[in-house]
Amino acid sequence: MRKCSITDLDLRGKRVFVRADFNVPLRNGKVRDDTRIRAALPTIRHTLSQGATVVLASHLGRPGGKPEPALSLSPIAACLSALLEAPVTFSEDTVGSSAHAAITQAGPGGI
């Protein structure tokens, strides 16, 4: 029996939610080691090449249930944007109007 792969799916015009392990070391708001980000690039590139809107999700932690600016994924979005040489729309929120606006802003073929 063969397992289905993302390459077996028709992603044209779809929103594709990708849970990525972007738990990378940061120092002074900069990514110190982008190995985990680079590991996700083939999946992200394939999804983009299909014309899908890529919705990435990850986390660095949320101590005490409250946002911690030092653990924002914003530096990771910037690093990913540089690696892909493409804009990455970022939202601090995972639900609600700001998250929805970020997905809409990214549009087909966007992140």
Side-chain angles (χ1 to χ4, degrees):
M1 184 163 86
R2 184 177 156 319
K3 290 184 180 181
C4 184
S5 166
I6 194 166
T7 59
D8 297 320
L9 304 173
D10 178 7
L11 305 176
R12 290 175 294 198
K14 305 273 198 284
R15 287 183 180 165
V16 179
F17 182 87
V18 178
R19 169 59 170 99
D21 182 4
F22 290 155
N23 190 11
V24 300
L26 301 174
R27 183 178 301 145
N28 300 323
K30 302 278 186 203
V31 173
R32 302 304 297 164
D33 180 355
D34 65 4
T35 302
R36 290 182 179 191
I37 299 169
R38 287 179 183 276
L41 292 178
T43 298
I44 296 167
R45 284 188 176 122
H46 172 74
T47 307
L48 290 172
S49 75
Q50 298 295 303
T53 302
V54 182
V55 180
L56 295 169
S58 191
H59 72 91
L60 290 175
R62 195 167 223 183
K66 296 180 183 175
E68 175 62 49
L71 298 177
S72 170
L73 291 171
S74 181
I76 292 156
C79 178
L80 181 60
S81 179
L83 290 170
L84 290 170
E85 298 179 349
V88 173
T89 305
F90 180 74
S91 174
E92 289 285 347
D93 294 317
T94 58
V95 297
S97 60
S98 64
H100 186 269
I103 294 167
T104 301
Q105 180 183 344
I111 307 169

